[in-house]
Amino acid sequence: MSTEAGRAPLWPAGAATGVGSLPGTEPVEATRLVFDELPDLPHLPELPARGPGGTMIGRAGAILLDLPVDLQPAGWRLVPRPSLDLRRSRDLLERDLDALTEVAAGYSGPLKVAVAGPWTLAAEVELPRGHKALSDAGATRDLADGLAAGLAEHLGDIARRVPGARLVVQLDEPSLPVVLAGRVRTPSGFSVLPAVEEGLLGQRLRALAEATRALAGVAGVGVHCCAPGVPLAALRGAGMDFVGLDTALLTRAQDDAVGELVEAGVRIIAGLVATSGGFPKLSDVRRTVEPVTALWSRLGFRPEQLGEVVAVAPACGLAGFGTDDARAVLRHCRRAGRVLVDAPA
């Protein structure tokens, strides 16, 4: 594996990061937690405890350009004009950015910014008449275009607020496997929508990544998917700079696909600390990193490359944890990241 000539790495060797969500409702406190515990690869946190406007889909709705949404009993729906719920989402996002401006004053380095990706948005958001946006090819294209345009404004705002930041953009796509497999249910729940062709899925992601990567201040674009069956080959074909996944869900059958990602220069954000089933055991850092060190050994890559290619993260978001527990998880991730550099074998 080699780094493209003249291109700076996305993050320092041994870095740790978060996935996105954190507990609590105070953005300044959450942002300080991130910058305190994840100094090598901090991220803009999401705070779902504030309500639907603070969730992954609510934030994406606030970012979408010229595609207003409204909160319905079944979830977010595209509507003709901005609603009170959308104004609430935009207000929460503005508060988050104000907190980032305060906490990150003088910061220089990579800063990860997450937003729901176009396919997960299409699988979650409804059309005005109640069908999933995924059911309409034109709607999926409009969502991707609106996301690209809104993301350009969003990232430009962050770049002005934190001029020393190199933005690492994470497209959250937990729905990718079910979109590809044709397992997204209709709003009634009685049937499923047809599968999206892998070529179209990758094409849409590539177009969004290329448009975003061309923006000033953006260092790279990748996809995070914490569901089983991450389509690794499709993400490699889409030209992602990194892929984030839950390592506990990887199978031996995916070894070659992971190896092909690494050989193509794609970095990995490895979710190594479990976030489901209660508070994880954090005592043994070596045990935490064992899944990825064992994978690296099976692939035959040099141990000293491991800490350069792989960043450590929780398996998924931490919104369901208490603040102290979330801090402990992030601190453990940081120690695990250092192990991948100092003692990778």
Side-chain angles (χ1 to χ4, degrees), residues 148-334:
L151 194 54
E153 292 194 357
H154 178 55
L155 297 173
D157 189 8
I158 293 174
R160 287 187 293 272
R161 290 168 179 264
V162 192
R166 292 186 295 106
L167 302 179
V168 177
V169 180
Q170 173 180 297
L171 303 174
D172 282 323
E173 287 280 20
S175 297
L176 277 189
V178 293
V179 166
L180 276 173
R183 297 202 306 269
V184 175
R185 294 208 163 270
T186 59
S188 69
F190 294 123
S191 59
V192 294
L193 298 174
V196 173
E197 292 183 3
E198 185 172 303
L200 175 60
L201 180 139
Q203 178 185 8
R204 194 73 46 80
L205 287 173
R206 175 180 283 277
L208 177 56
E210 289 178 348
T212 302
R213 200 181 288 117
L215 299 171
V218 174
V221 182
V223 163
H224 179 268
C225 179
C226 54
V230 180
L232 300 175
L235 296 180
R236 175 172 53 83
M240 293 299 118
D241 297 304
F242 69 92
V243 172
L245 41 76
D246 180 351
T247 56
L249 300 178
L250 284 175
T251 66
R252 290 288 185 100
Q254 293 174 291
D255 279 8
D256 288 345
V258 174
E260 289 167 359
L261 279 178
V262 175
E263 288 175 343
V266 182
R267 288 192 166 209
I268 307 293
I269 295 180
L272 289 168
V273 180
T275 53
S276 60
F279 187 68
K281 295 180 180 179
L282 302 178
S283 58
D284 188 346
V285 179
R286 298 288 302 185
R287 180 170 294 179
T288 297
V289 302
E290 195 276 335
V292 76
T293 56
L295 170 62
W296 209 251
S297 177
R298 293 198 303 273
L299 293 174
F301 293 129
R302 292 185 292 111
E304 56 269 27
Q305 285 184 312
L306 180 56
E308 299 175 2
V309 175
V310 176
V312 175
C316 205
L318 298 174
F321 288 67
T323 300
D324 289 343
D325 287 345
R327 182 182 296 275
V329 168
L330 296 181
R331 189 168 294 174
H332 188 78
C333 287
R334 188 173 65 185

